[in-house]
Amino acid sequence: MRMHNPPHPGEVLRELCLEPLGISVTDAAQALGTSRKTLSAILNGKAGISPEMALRLSIAFNTTPESWLAQQSQYELWQAEQHRGELHVKRLVAA
């Protein structure tokens, strides 16, 4: 079952991981071994969670990389579904 309008994983990361721990973006980026710019782009919904970032987050927050990738996939699919009517696709059937 698909979630209705799922949040961007960056929003989840900010609200459920960083804010409760009182961790700044700079400190989190350093702990994750990434740049502040990269992490900020994710937190602001301007970039997605890559497989490598999913692995970094899973190590840092004792989660699974699959959970982060699933969130990203659900978000992107819901966004794409909003433009379904704009797609010009014909159904293919066996001859």
Side-chain angles (χ1 to χ4, degrees):
M1 185 167 104
R2 275 190 232 142
M3 184 183 292
H4 176 71
N5 195 11
H8 187 279
E11 183 180 340
V12 174
L13 177 59
R14 179 187 306 279
E15 293 180 8
L16 299 182
C17 298
L18 300 184
E19 287 177 357
L21 296 174
I23 298 173
S24 71
V25 176
T26 302
D27 290 342
Q30 185 177 12
L32 290 167
T34 190
S35 71
R36 185 185 191 293
K37 181 178 177 180
T38 297
L39 184 57
S40 182
I42 292 169
L43 294 173
N44 292 315
K46 304 294 184 193
I49 303 289
S50 67
E52 182 180 310
M53 182 58 77
L55 189 55
R56 289 173 186 270
L57 293 169
S58 72
I59 294 167
F61 296 106
N62 195 30
T63 58
T64 65
E66 292 85 2
S67 67
W68 291 104
L69 291 176
Q71 288 178 56
Q72 186 65 46
S73 180
Q74 289 171 354
Y75 174 79
E76 289 176 359
L77 182 56
W78 193 88
Q79 294 295 319
E81 284 281 357
Q82 304 317 297
H83 303 283
R84 179 184 275 262
E86 300 168 20
L87 301 176
H88 302 286
V89 179
K90 293 181 181 180
R91 186 175 304 270
L92 298 174
V93 295

